[in-house]
Every structure is written in C-alpha cells, then in structure tokens.
Amino acid sequence: MLKKAKILIVDDDPLNRLVLEKTLANDHEIFLVESGEKALTFVRSTAVDLIILDIVMPGINGYEVLIQLKENSTTHSIPVIFISANTSHDDEAKGFELGAMDYIAKPFSPAIVRARVRNQLLIKQKNDLLEMLASIDGLTEIPNRRYLDESLSREWRRSRRAGTPLSVLLIDIDHFKRYNDCYGHRAGDDCLKRVAHALVAACERGTDFVARYGGEEFAAVLPDTNQHEALKFANKLRDAVNTLAIPHKASLNAAHITISIGVATTEFGQVYSEHILLEEADLGLYQAKDSGRDKIIARVIDAS
C-alpha cells in the first residue's frame, strides 16, 4: 500500500482545483496553488511526490514551469502530469518532450485522474527505491561514496549561498590492516559493520549523516555546524567506537578498536570547492594518525 503522497495541484481555475482536490484528498495530502510562479516558490520549500500542472495559465505557463523544474537538481525528478483543455496532439507531444509523465484532457474523469496518479506514484516509488539502493553501501548498509559526493556538493552550494558553516569529518579505523591480518577478513567485515552502525547512531539531527568513504574510512557531513560543534560531534563518534570495546590485540595504540578523525570547517561559506573541505579533513586525519592515533585534529579553512 502506498504511503500518503504529497501532491501539488497547479491550476488558475478555482473550480478545477476544487474538483481535483475532492478527487484525490481521501488518499493523498493535497496542496493547491493558482499560478506557475507560486508553484515554483512552493517546491523550493516543500518536497512533493507529484505535480498536477495546468498548461494554460496567466504569467508563466505550464511548459515554462516544467522547464524550470527540470533545470533544478532538487525538483527535476518530481513527476508531472499535465492537465489541459487543449486536446491537440502537438501540445501533448510537446509536454512529453519536455519531460511530463502523463497528460490528462479536460473535462476529466475523476476515476481516470485517480488511476493515472496512482500509476505515476507507483513508478516513483520504484524509482526512489532503486535510487536508494544505488546509494547504500552493500556491506555496512549505510550511505556510500556516491551519496556522500552528491550530498556534500549540495550542502556546499547551500553553505556558499547562505554564508553558513559546514563541517566535514574523515574517520579512519586505526590499524585496520593489522586487525584483518590477525582476526581474518570475515571478522574485519563484522568490525566495519559495527563501527558503521555506531557512527550512524550518533547522528541526532536529520541533516547530519555518516557515509562509508572507502575501505576502513568513513565520512560525516554536518551542515550548519561550526568548528566547536564539529569537534564535540567528533568526540561523540570517538567515544561511541571506544564504547564498542572491540578487541584488537594487534593494535599499536590500544587493546581495542579506535578511530582517528580529521575535521574541516568552512565557517562563512567561503570555501571555493567541496573538494577542498575533503582535502583539509584528510590532512587533519593524517595529522591525527601521525600523532599517535585515537586522536582528533581540526582545521579551519577560511576563518577571517
């Protein structure tokens, strides 16, 4: 059974909005706007699962709204169903060429509207599942490097626009090769899973996340987080792994598994590339390992 989807209805005719709302409100959460401009403003602040979009409206028309939706990385994957009194095949074809998923002619049948909405939501649900699976690390079942790269790029752009702080942590399991050599790769895989789950469990804010960076390395992205707050979080991660007390008799710095962490922070959204943040966090991680491991080293890039 589908979850209650969020559907945005965009139509300048109040009667059409009312009929569509009554047709779909029992099964879905409905939002109504009367213009293309208001639709674009709405989706900037509210995530929706589907848009039902009138083509002919004052101001910008439905085609122009769809073009802008497709040009925005945040909204390009929202399925759009066009609805129009114009039954021209050329108009219908133009809608599909621009990326619309379906086309309903006015006057419309409520049963047809419900069926086509249900079909598009099912397709979206399957696509979302595939996208999620492509972003999950197969071993640890936490976000993978692909998800990290995409999310960090998005948060870096937001940080630059708003001038807000952004912190990145790179985390390495100390002497993990020696652990594998001592206990075997199956135990190594189990260790990676336990550490990964402990790191993820430490994330309390919905905006923070931990991903597997590669091998025995993990990364954390902390939006709206300054250096002081990032250091507190890094210590929380370090304590979480120490609390696991996974024995490591081959370690050169402790009797159990420990982690080293490099922290990089851009305080004012001035860093020129998300890759600089990763590089600086990597330098911090190198310094943490070089100074004895089980350490945290923080770097501020642009405090001025």
Side-chain angles (χ1 to χ4, degrees), residues 4-144:
K4 204 156 192 179
K6 294 181 178 180
I7 298 176
L8 175 63
I9 296 170
V10 188
D11 197 314
D12 62 309
D13 186 328
L15 180 59
N16 283 336
R17 293 198 302 273
L18 178 63
V19 172
L20 286 168
E21 182 182 24
K22 287 195 168 192
T23 299
L24 299 169
N26 284 342
D27 301 312
H28 309 292
E29 188 175 354
I30 305 300
F31 304 94
L32 305 170
V33 295
E34 66 274 15
S35 70
E37 291 87 351
K38 288 187 176 180
L40 293 170
T41 299
F42 184 88
V43 296
R44 279 198 290 267
S45 60
T46 305
V48 298
D49 298 296
L50 177 72
I51 297 174
I52 298 178
L53 179 60
D54 189 20
I55 294 177
V56 181
M57 295 182 291
I60 62 174
N61 63 32
Y63 295 133
E64 292 165 339
V65 172
L66 182 56
I67 289 170
Q68 292 193 42
L69 290 171
K70 294 301 179 184
E71 288 175 346
N72 188 316
S73 61
T74 305
T75 59
H76 79 277
S77 62
I78 302 173
V80 172
I81 297 177
F82 270 139
I83 189 160
S84 176
N86 193 335
T87 57
S88 164
H89 292 306
D90 289 341
D91 285 345
E92 188 173 349
K94 181 178 179 180
F96 286 126
E97 287 170 3
L98 291 174
M101 298 301 294
D102 208 341
Y103 190 102
I104 299 173
K106 299 177 185 177
F108 47 81
S109 156
I112 292 296
V113 170
R114 283 193 291 268
R116 295 195 173 183
V117 164
R118 183 172 62 250
N119 288 342
Q120 291 307 319
L121 290 173
L122 282 169
I123 292 170
K124 183 178 187 298
Q125 187 181 53
K126 291 175 182 177
N127 289 339
D128 287 349
L129 178 60
L130 290 172
E131 186 68 23
M132 183 190 72
L133 291 173
S135 299
I136 297 297
D137 178 63
L139 175 65
T140 62
E141 299 179 340
I142 71 170
N144 60 17

